[in-house]
Amino acid sequence: DAGITQSPRYKITETGRQVTLMCHQTWSHSYMFWYRQDLGHGLRLIYYSAAADITDKGEVPDGYVVSRSKTENFPLTLESATRSQTSVYFCAIRTGTSGGATDTQYFGPGTRLTVL
Amino acid sequence: GQQVMQIPQYQHVQEGEDFTTYCNSSTTLSNIQWYKQRPGGHPVFLIQLVKSGEVKKQKRLTFQFGEAKKNSSLHITATQTTDVGTYFCRQAAGNKLTFGGGTRVLVKP
């Protein structure tokens, strides 16, 4: 959806470098998420945020750092990139404010990251 | 943690044929959502099922929630090339949202 943008869309980096993937929403939804998608593993949650300055780990948080100083932005940083972090990264928001189970998710277009 | 398993992982379908993909959980689900991801694209919300035994249709797609709310199915009739993609189910338990591994659908013309 046009309301969620990710940058860059494609990134090639080298092992050991720091990389930051950006996610921006034009709405003001409270919940934002970072997923990685690899063949055979579906979508795996890295981190999520329930509001500005509130973040929590997901299923595969190791090697990643997030911050959320503003509601609309949720950057994901790979502090020292490894080849195993080569993946497609999706940012998503969740509709609703109470974190209800019926909230739906909207995904950004994704960032394809290659670590050499 | 709570997981949902999707089968099959891959589905090769002849154009015009029907097929079904399944989403199974070992625990009772409060609801189930289905998403579709086209090749090279991002997941897009399709539908949500909440009630036991609920059936919803979207054109050629029929979604069903099991009576025990532990499984769900997506049935596509008269498959078309536009159905190509990966279909994910998603369950929610509070803040914990879990996607199944997806069924990747390939259509043979």
Side-chain angles (χ1 to χ4, degrees):
Chain A
D1 287 22
I4 306 173
T5 56
Q6 293 186 234
S7 61
R9 294 294 312 280
Y10 302 89
K11 176 73 176 180
I12 299 175
T13 190
E14 295 178 336
T15 301
R17 290 191 181 269
Q18 183 180 79
V19 178
T20 295
L21 309 183
M22 301 301 297
C23 177
H24 174 79
Q25 60 162 323
T26 57
W27 307 302
S28 297
H29 289 292
S30 299
Y31 282 84
M32 297 186 76
F33 305 80
W34 274 106
Y35 292 89
R36 61 177 290 174
Q37 185 174 38
D38 308 289
L39 276 175
H41 288 280
L43 292 159
R44 291 186 292 176
L45 181 64
I46 304 170
Y47 270 97
Y48 70 97
S49 170
D53 297 322
I54 301 175
T55 62
D56 208 348
K57 296 179 180 179
E59 181 186 355
V60 288
D62 293 344
Y64 303 94
V65 175
V66 293
S67 62
R68 196 162 175 212
S69 57
K70 293 183 178 181
T71 300
E72 61 267 29
N73 297 325
F74 191 33
L76 175 73
T77 298
L78 288 67
E79 294 187 299
S80 179
T82 64
R83 289 191 181 135
S84 65
Q85 292 178 309
T86 293
S87 187
V88 180
Y89 291 85
F90 289 102
C91 176
I93 62 93
R94 180 179 190 177
T95 62
T97 58
S98 61
T102 56
D103 294 346
T104 57
Q105 287 178 282
Y106 291 91
F107 286 79
T111 294
R112 186 174 294 273
L113 176 68
T114 301
V115 182
L116 302 176
Chain B
Q2 192 171 19
Q3 292 186 345
V4 285
M5 304 298 293
Q6 280 189 257
I7 53 172
Q9 189 174 2
Y10 295 94
Q11 180 79 54
H12 295 254
V13 189
Q14 190 72 43
E15 189 173 11
E17 292 185 343
D18 303 351
F19 77 91
T20 304
T21 177
Y22 300 90
C23 183
N24 299 315
S25 171
S26 57
T27 59
T28 303
L29 305 172
S30 60
N31 67 77
I32 194 88
Q33 296 184 357
W34 286 89
Y35 292 73
K36 177 183 178 181
Q37 182 180 23
R38 296 183 184 275
H42 58 276
V44 174
F45 172 76
L46 291 177
I47 210 159
Q48 175 173 264
L49 304 170
V50 179
K51 299 176 184 176
S52 170
E54 188 171 15
V55 178
K56 289 187 176 180
K57 293 189 176 183
Q58 286 182 352
K59 297 182 180 179
R60 294 177 295 101
L61 277 61
T62 301
F63 303 83
Q64 187 166 3
F65 205 6
E67 293 291 339
K69 299 181 73 173
K70 289 186 176 182
N71 55 72
S72 180
S73 64
L74 161 58
H75 180 79
I76 299 182
T77 58
T79 303
Q80 299 178 359
T81 55
T82 54
D83 296 321
V84 165
T86 302
Y87 295 82
F88 294 97
C89 62
R90 192 212 80 177
Q91 66 88 20
N95 280 336
K96 196 168 180 62
L97 310 177
T98 306
F99 283 86
T103 293
R104 186 175 176 188
V105 176
L106 304 169
V107 179
K108 294 178 282 187

